[in-house]
Amino acid sequence: MGELPLQCLAGPSGDIAEGFSLDQGVETTTGVGYCLATSPGFSFGVIEIDEQPGLADGTERAYRRLFDRLEESDTPHLWRVWQYLPAINADDPETGVERYRLFNQGRAAAFSATGRDVADSAPAACALGCDEAGSGRLIFLAASIPATPIENPRQVSAYHYPPTYGAKSPIFARAALARGPVHDWLFISGTASITGHATRHVGDIHAQLDETLANLEAVRRVANAERPVGFPEFDFDANALIRVYLRHPDDLEPARERLETGLNGCSQIQFLRADICRADLLVEIEATLRQPHRGDGVECAPWIPL
């Protein structure tokens, strides 16, 4: 459930998963174009994007279907969304508009139609280009309680981007700080070489990696400032799960060498081949960090396959 439609370039593949261990039963329901797993307080699932009515309309329908499912399961608060879209940087033949921009139009329409306040309810998210032969999909994690959205002081909030980037801005927070039954979670969205709202270091994988790491660290610092006194800080440590999306497989070695020093405490780094949401971006990195509620000696359990 929720398998990534991307080629693994390096790092663990079949034995690495983003998992959540619960002490209550899980109920799974499936239908045409969706799969949903629910447990008291939590939902996880996959919804396909049907492009028959057009990508913008198909995305709006997929998101509205997602919101309907969450309301029905009493878990209305999105924590994290992974979005995969074939040919994400290509122009749509019918409209001449880049497909990622059409996707943003559909997502924004669904948020508006369901009355969701963007600043308060935007989840952590990423949007990557996958195999053109497949269909787009949303993979999501939601809960009965809201997460705290985290923004990056080095960047303009994505939902405030100027019209240069499309008729509708992307809707996501730079990270989401969430409280689980045992651990607190920091879901850091797909992060790239952007400051303000502009791409930096076009064509330079080394400089883009450095800028991306600076953004990851900035988000982590903001999130830790939200932690209550006495609670351990989030860190890029052995309990972190890092995914690195590379546009060009030839950039694998420079990326791996840079991250060995920039994220040298992480034992779980996965490198995947994907198109990034902007054509001038070469790399995007997402992270899931976790800590026990308090520094009371509780250790994080191993990652459990979903």
Side-chain angles (χ1 to χ4, degrees):
M1 184 177 185
E3 182 178 354
L4 303 186
L6 302 173
Q7 175 191 3
C8 183
L9 298 175
S13 52
D15 59 345
I16 189 168
E18 207 144 356
F20 306 90
S21 179
L22 298 171
D23 58 5
Q24 302 189 59
V26 176
E27 180 179 347
T28 302
T29 57
T30 59
V32 177
Y34 80 92
C35 181
L36 178 66
T38 60
S39 186
F42 296 93
S43 294
F44 179 85
V46 183
I47 292 182
E48 292 186 358
I49 299 174
D50 180 3
E51 293 194 31
Q52 288 298 319
L55 178 55
D57 287 346
T59 300
E60 179 182 358
R61 293 183 186 187
Y63 259 95
R64 294 185 71 163
R65 189 178 198 183
L66 165 59
F67 293 147
D68 287 344
R69 296 293 175 189
L70 296 187
E71 295 290 345
E72 292 169 1
S73 64
D74 196 31
T75 56
H77 301 288
L78 273 179
W79 282 5
R80 183 67 168 90
V81 184
W82 296 263
Q83 298 147 142
Y84 300 97
L85 185 67
I88 194 170
N89 303 130
D91 289 341
D92 177 68
E94 298 295 325
T95 65
V97 177
E98 185 190 48
R99 284 173 54 79
Y100 179 57
R101 297 185 179 204
L102 292 174
F103 172 86
N104 286 332
Q105 291 178 25
R107 175 169 53 181
F111 269 79
S112 177
T114 55
R116 289 179 173 248
D117 181 82
V118 171
D120 291 335
S121 64
C126 57
L128 286 307
C130 61
D131 188 346
E132 294 187 23
S135 60
R137 70 186 73 174
L138 314 175
I139 303 175
F140 60 89
L141 173 68
S144 58
I145 59 174
T148 300
I150 301 294
E151 292 300 317
N152 183 349
R154 304 180 81 239
Q155 297 176 318
V156 173
S157 296
Y159 44 81
H160 287 155
Y161 280 176
T164 308
Y165 301 100
K168 294 294 181 180
S169 296
I171 296 178
F172 65 92
R174 299 298 177 185
L177 176 56
R179 188 171 180 83
V182 178
H183 303 102
D184 290 339
W185 301 83
L186 181 62
F187 300 98
I188 301 181
S189 299
T191 302
S193 179
I194 296 171
T195 59
H197 55 72
T199 299
R200 305 299 180 187
H201 317 298
V202 174
D204 187 337
I205 183 61
H206 300 279
Q208 286 202 12
L209 284 164
D210 287 346
E211 200 73 71
T212 301
L213 289 172
N215 281 326
L216 289 169
E217 177 61 17
V219 169
R220 187 186 74 87
R221 288 179 180 274
V222 173
N224 282 333
E226 297 280 339
R227 299 282 279 164
V229 175
F231 280 52
E233 292 190 347
F234 292 108
D235 203 354
F236 298 108
D237 55 21
N239 295 313
L241 175 59
I242 310 294
R243 288 197 182 96
V244 182
Y245 301 100
L246 294 170
R247 182 178 295 277
H248 303 302
D250 289 346
D251 288 334
L252 173 60
E253 288 311 313
R256 184 151 49 184
E257 290 175 7
R258 181 65 185 90
L259 296 184
E260 283 179 357
T261 57
L263 298 174
N264 60 6
C266 294
S267 61
Q268 300 179 98
I269 303 179
Q270 188 178 41
F271 295 85
L272 299 150
R273 216 304 297 173
D275 291 329
I276 318 300
C277 62
R278 293 187 187 182
D280 53 10
L281 289 171
L282 301 174
V283 59
E284 179 171 311
I285 301 176
E286 68 170 75
T288 301
L289 313 183
R290 58 183 177 153
Q291 286 291 350
H293 291 163
R294 293 185 179 274
D296 54 6
V298 176
E299 295 184 358
C300 291
W303 293 93
I304 308 297
L306 291 171

